Amino acid sequence: MACDKTAVAKKKISLVVLISGGGSNLQAIIDAIKNQQLDAEIKTVISNNVSAGGLDRAALADIDTHVVDHKQFPDRQTFDHALINIIDPLKPELVVLAGFMRILSDDLIDHYVDRLINIHPSLLPKYKGLNTHQLAINNHDAVHGASVHYVSHELDSGPVVIQAEVPVLDGDDKNTLASRVLEQEHRIYPMMIQMVADGRLSFDGKQLSLDKKPLNKPLLWKENKLRNHDE
Ligand code: GRF
């Protein structure tokens, strides 16, 4: 019998990525796809900000882009419905918030409740909202970090899948700390998306499951290894 030596293409998970700024997390996802560390396809990148650097990154990678300027809409709900109108026909398996600096309406969150993910630069539930790096420094925290989570109704809430710890060093200012946190963000975001692509991770809107078991505490990315929280 003839043997077909062509590698069986792995199924790619489809993504829509929402950005507002520089798009370094978007770039990390693009790079992970290019380096075959992530079996995903970005269907489109949407920005609420026409000058977002991430739009150039998407264009360079030949990814379709949309600008939906929130200032052109009378309220949050109408803006979010404009987003839904772009996202829905693309049928993404994940809607990926990557530095998207808009508060989302309940309508949008409910619409994508089992597939809406975000990255936040703190060890949630600590430091929701803005200015997390300065807060960690002001409070003399020994450890800061980043969290990847599914999105629920309150700001920067929802079940956390992976956290990465970053030590706060003597002499750190918010910029030096932010850049070390970003390095870790760029690792854990593609990693989490790959878990969904592999069919290992899912969320039903209430409960996270990893490898068919409930995941009740975030995994911890520490010293280049993914660990259970208690390890
Ligand atoms: C990141 O720190 C992310 O955690 C936060 O916004 C920042 C976006 O950075 N939500 P970038 O646009 O991905 O470079």
Side-chain angles (χ1 to χ4, degrees), residues 21-26 98-99 101 119-121 182 185:
S24 69
N25 278 289
L26 166 67
M101 304 304 280
I119 185 136
H120 182 74
L182 261 185
E185 293 184 31

Side-chain angles (χ1 to χ4, degrees), residues 19-26 57 97-101 118-121 133 181-182 185-186:
I19 61 165
S20 298
S24 69
N25 278 289
L26 166 67
R57 296 179 188 269
L97 306 176
F100 186 61
M101 304 304 280
N118 184 41
I119 185 136
H120 182 74
H133 309 299
V181 170
L182 261 185
E185 293 184 31
H186 299 162

